[in-house]
Amino acid sequence: MSGQDTHVCQAGPTIEDRARRGRSRMRALLAVVAFLALTLLPGSPAYAHAALLRTSPPAGSVVPEAPRDVTLTFSEPVSPVADKIRIIGPDGQRADRGKPSVEGNVLKIGLREDAPKGTYLVSYRVISADSHPIPGGFTFSVGAPSATPAALPEEKVDTTIRNLIAVGKAIGYAGLVLLVGPVLVLTLLWPARLSQRGPRRVMWTGFGVVALATLAGLYLQAPYSTGGSLFGATGSDLGDVLGSQYGIALLVRLALLAVAAFLVRPLLAGRDGVVDRVLLLAVAAGAALTWPLAGHPAASPVPAVSVVVDALHLAGAAVWLGGLLMLALFLLRQADHRELGAILPIWSRWAALAVSTVLLAGVVSGLIQIGTPRALIDTTYGQIMIAKIVLVGLILVAAYFARRWTNNGAADNPRPLRRIVTTELAIAAVVLAVTGALTQTTPARTAQETAQLPAQPVIYSTTLTSSLYTLQVEVDPAKLGDNAVHLYAYKADGSPLPVVEWKATAALPSAGIEPVTFPLLKLTDNHASGQVTLPTPGDWQLRFTLRLSEIDQDSVTATVPIS
């Protein structure tokens, strides 16, 4: 052994010291990931990744007869959450019948046949195809509005649970890096003279982190889906999660993780064969698919392409960052210049392939999930994606300098390369946090499509009362131009009131428009309809005069805002 080598052996830290420092760095890295994931998550209360497109009857509308079913149409397939879909009638009692049914993106809720007149409250909570809950509610009326039924407990998405899921996903990604890096390097690049103790500890830590993050994801999905408290999930809630596509994907991941842990032992001991390696690769590929199957790619316009591309993106990132981690923690510290001279060129080619895979898969995935340049700028998902692109760009700059240093004597002086690699890993920790945030954010494609959807028709509806009658007034669509006017007359007890004669005028005093009479057509004894043109924006005064007999007559006025 040379004098220089002897000096290094005497002054340098022991393998145990290096392993201890490596474990400390891993704990610090995981803490940073968790903190950044919490702080970088967008702050809006919910991130439903499917949108309610329309309802039948329309929200806020008044229909003459009770429908057989209330229909909700969403922007992507959904599944109902047990006992979270209800219709409350004007009497405060449940008015829905049977179990709600789902056909793709259409949810149907049966309405009881003896539904009384009045206002109904529809409350729903469904799960979108990418595993995110969509809560909401609306009202409609049959015959005429009444007092709104007692409100159900507010359906919402717990911010704490949503953030914990994002943190768990980011930590799971970090665990994947801890797992893939040691397996790859120990199998193909590790010098025989060096102890495998430290890398093996990192590898088993990775196995444990991925398993715990997966178990946490399974549990958190239960209160996330039902809207319950963090520790309020029941066995039934967990059973529903385990039976969903999300739950099945995570259970498969756990099973494949256990198989991989069994197969990796002979691989690291050098007792493996070709069959063992092929089997391990197949298990790893299957496990990689479970991430996109439990996320956004499962609900993309081209799910098969999205799932495969996302799995390649994840695998490339795990190989790249896992290899960098092994360089920073072990190889650049423990390998001598001869070993580094053999290892670094090989790793440089692997890293180039991994980076190319990450970039290509990321571009394809981004094109699918973002859709248009406008969506990249205008949506929260796009803005977070821009931040991720900037961070990845910084890593690529560092990787460029690392590659240059590798080609210019890094084996003889690895300290500068170690600093560059450490910088790459530090930025990568932030990227993992940002990726966790993206998993909980509505994809730009969906957000933009939802924003561009035509609004559901807005019907101005009000109830006017006189000493002789109650009049339900509807103006559709309550905008400039032609508007349909429907009038329904009722007695004080809510029963239909026959009307002998109907009269109506429209005026806009603020613009000097005097009352103009418009005709009404009597459709039934208590229902009349007419057409009125409102050419100027403002608060129009629609005055209605109802004659009930030769001597009984009264007038009421509705102020209708027109924009």
Side-chain angles (χ1 to χ4, degrees):
M1 183 178 294
S2 67
Q4 182 180 0
D5 290 338
T6 303
H7 175 73
V8 171
C9 291
Q10 290 174 347
T14 65
I15 293 176
E16 288 76 10
D17 291 336
R18 294 189 184 108
R20 190 179 304 111
R21 284 204 297 268
R23 291 194 298 272
S24 299
R25 290 189 181 91
M26 284 302 96
R27 288 192 291 268
L29 175 61
L30 293 178
V32 168
V33 169
F35 172 77
L36 289 173
L38 282 172
T39 55
L40 287 177
L41 283 174
S44 64
Y47 284 90
H49 297 180
L52 178 63
L53 302 182
R54 56 187 174 274
T55 66
S56 178
S61 66
V62 180
V63 294
E65 300 294 335
R68 177 177 176 80
D69 298 295
V70 176
T71 303
L72 291 75
T73 303
F74 296 88
S75 60
E76 64 181 50
V78 296
S79 56
V81 177
D83 200 33
K84 290 292 183 177
I85 299 176
R86 304 177 183 180
I87 301 177
I88 303 300
D91 56 1
Q93 302 299 313
R94 290 280 294 267
D96 50 301
R97 58 175 173 78
K99 290 185 177 181
S101 62
V102 175
E103 295 181 6
N105 62 335
V106 178
L107 171 69
K108 288 187 178 181
I109 313 169
L111 187 65
R112 70 189 192 199
E113 295 179 356
D114 60 340
K117 304 290 185 180
T119 297
Y120 288 78
L121 171 64
V122 181
S123 176
Y124 62 88
R125 190 180 186 93
V126 296
I127 305 298
S128 64
D130 56 4
S131 77
H132 297 277
I134 310 163
F138 64 94
T139 62
F140 70 92
S141 301
V142 176
S146 63
T148 302
L152 295 172
E154 182 183 4
E155 290 289 348
K156 59 182 182 179
V157 176
D158 191 301
T159 304
T160 300
I161 294 175
R162 187 201 71 210
N163 288 352
L164 286 174
I165 290 176
V167 171
K169 288 183 177 180
I171 291 176
Y173 295 142
L176 197 60
V177 171
L178 298 177
L179 166 59
V180 171
V183 172
L184 180 70
V185 172
L186 286 175
T187 304
L188 301 173
L189 291 178
W190 192 254
R193 73 175 186 85
L194 296 180
S195 169
Q196 294 186 359
R197 183 178 179 185
R200 285 191 178 214
R201 285 183 175 179
V202 173
M203 181 195 70
W204 292 118
T205 299
F207 270 108
V209 169
V210 174
L212 288 176
T214 303
L215 290 171
L218 282 171
Y219 175 80
L220 290 172
Q221 186 66 19
Y224 186 50
S225 298
T226 63
S229 63
L230 179 59
F231 300 106
T234 65
S236 176
D237 297 337
L238 291 172
D240 291 339
V241 170
L242 295 177
S244 67
Q245 176 176 307
Y246 177 89
I248 292 172
L250 267 61
L251 288 175
V252 170
R253 184 187 305 167
L254 287 172
L256 293 178
L257 200 65
V259 174
F262 176 78
L263 293 174
V264 81
R265 290 180 178 275
L267 185 71
L268 299 183
R271 300 192 306 270
D272 62 302
V274 175
V275 174
D276 296 315
R277 296 196 177 195
V278 171
L279 185 58
L280 184 60
L281 282 175
V283 169
L289 290 171
T290 63
W291 269 270
L293 285 172
H296 293 153
S300 87
V302 281
V305 175
S306 292
V307 167
V308 172
V309 167
D310 200 71
L312 288 173
H313 184 80
L314 182 68
V319 169
W320 179 23
L321 300 180
L324 290 177
L325 185 69
M326 291 295 290
L327 285 176
L329 290 182
F330 303 106
L331 291 176
L332 293 177
R333 295 174 180 274
Q334 298 178 11
D336 59 33
H337 69 280
R338 293 181 301 276
E339 292 164 341
L340 289 176
I343 292 170
L344 292 179
I346 298 175
W347 164 249
S348 182
R349 292 192 293 271
W350 289 2
L353 178 60
V355 170
S356 299
T357 302
V358 169
L359 293 179
L360 181 59
V363 168
V364 175
S365 180
L367 290 174
I368 294 173
Q369 296 294 355
I370 296 174
T372 66
R374 188 76 180 176
L376 183 66
I377 298 171
D378 291 346
T379 64
T380 301
Y381 186 96
Q383 292 161 5
I384 298 177
M385 181 62 78
I386 290 174
K388 181 177 178 179
I389 292 171
V390 171
L391 291 168
V392 172
L394 292 176
I395 296 178
L396 291 176
V397 171
Y400 168 76
F401 285 107
R403 186 176 179 84
R404 285 191 60 185
W405 194 261
T406 298
N407 295 332
N408 293 307
D412 296 321
N413 183 17
R415 183 171 298 177
L417 179 58
R418 190 166 63 240
R419 287 198 294 266
I420 296 173
V421 170
T422 302
T423 301
E424 288 185 70
L425 288 171
I427 301 174
V430 183
V431 171
L432 293 180
V434 173
T435 303
L438 281 174
T439 65
Q440 296 301 102
T441 306
T442 304
R445 164 188 51 80
T446 303
Q448 187 182 54
E449 290 175 355
T450 303
Q452 293 176 347
L453 288 172
Q456 293 195 58
V458 177
I459 301 176
Y460 174 85
S461 179
T462 189
T463 302
L464 306 174
T465 303
S466 80
S467 58
L468 299 179
Y469 56 80
T470 296
L471 183 67
Q472 173 63 31
V473 179
E474 292 180 9
V475 181
D476 181 12
K479 294 182 179 180
L480 289 177
D482 293 337
N483 286 264
V485 178
H486 286 271
L487 306 175
Y488 303 87
Y490 298 95
K491 299 177 182 179
D493 62 2
S495 60
L497 175 65
V499 177
V500 176
E501 184 180 15
W502 307 76
K503 294 181 180 179
T505 62
L508 184 60
S510 62
I513 300 177
E514 297 298 325
V516 177
T517 301
F518 62 94
L520 293 174
L521 174 65
K522 183 177 181 179
L523 301 178
T524 66
D525 285 346
N526 79 313
H527 179 198
S529 175
Q531 193 82 8
V532 60
T533 300
L534 306 176
T536 305
D539 292 334
W540 284 79
Q541 294 183 0
L542 303 187
R543 183 176 177 82
F544 306 102
T545 301
L546 278 62
R547 184 167 65 84
L548 308 180
S549 66
E550 292 297 328
I551 58 173
D552 295 323
Q553 177 177 298
D554 203 356
S555 299
V556 291
T557 301
T559 301
V560 183
I562 300 296
S563 59

